Amino acid sequence: MPIQQIHADIEQFFNAYCLAYNQQDSQGVARLFAAPSGIAQHGQYTHFANPDTTAKNMHELCQWYAKQGFLQANFKINHLFLQGTQHAIADIAWQIERKQQAPWLFHTTYNLIKTSQGWLILLCTAYEESFT
């Protein structure tokens, strides 16, 4: 598979991921994670052993976003590191628009794996979180 096609597939993956968040579709977000998978943030690691634990976490996250005045998410792929044709690391800059508040700006890196279901997240690491 040509490198340009892999880049396009991964960008399409993140468009679907962002759309699921914008629709507050926690099940849709959860389906984009491998099982097992996890998230690292604030010096802690949360392990998602199976699809149910991932779905529960994403449901809670979408509820938290709603309480924070979530309007919509936007992203930009800063860096994409291909590791063969079935693995990649993507560094994403996120901007979360919120009601009557400044946007929330942060970065996340994603370790991705290509499966029979398409690209999935193995690990995401959120960093440089700040409110402006």
Side-chain angles (χ1 to χ4, degrees):
M1 175 177 287
I3 290 174
Q4 295 86 356
Q5 184 61 52
I6 296 171
H7 280 252
D9 290 349
I10 291 173
E11 185 165 1
Q12 184 178 12
F13 169 84
F14 281 109
N15 283 328
Y17 184 69
C18 186
L19 179 62
Y21 269 113
N22 284 340
Q23 294 174 341
Q24 294 289 275
D25 177 7
S26 59
Q27 291 293 326
V29 173
R31 281 191 292 274
L32 298 173
F33 279 77
S37 60
I39 183 170
Q41 61 184 352
H42 309 297
Q44 297 180 352
Y45 173 74
T46 303
H47 183 69
F48 306 137
N50 56 55
D52 290 339
T53 58
T54 307
K56 180 181 183 291
N57 180 274
M58 296 309 148
H59 177 72
E60 291 170 358
L61 183 59
C62 285
Q63 286 184 324
W64 183 83
Y65 276 156
K67 289 177 185 174
Q68 300 300 312
F70 179 90
L71 292 172
Q72 73 176 20
N74 297 292
F75 74 95
K76 176 182 178 265
I77 298 176
N78 287 329
H79 304 286
L80 183 58
F81 306 98
L82 299 182
Q83 299 171 312
T85 59
Q86 294 184 283
H87 300 276
I89 297 173
D91 180 73
I92 306 290
W94 289 99
Q95 180 171 316
I96 307 297
E97 301 294 333
R98 302 177 299 154
K99 295 176 189 169
Q100 300 176 351
Q101 298 177 61
W104 183 28
L105 306 172
F106 62 97
H107 294 241
T108 305
T109 54
Y110 297 86
N111 290 293
L112 304 172
I113 185 168
K114 178 80 180 272
T115 71
S116 60
Q117 298 144 318
W119 289 98
L120 296 174
I121 298 166
L122 283 172
L123 173 68
C124 57
T125 303
Y127 69 98
E128 292 183 26
E129 297 180 4
S130 64
F131 290 92
T132 59

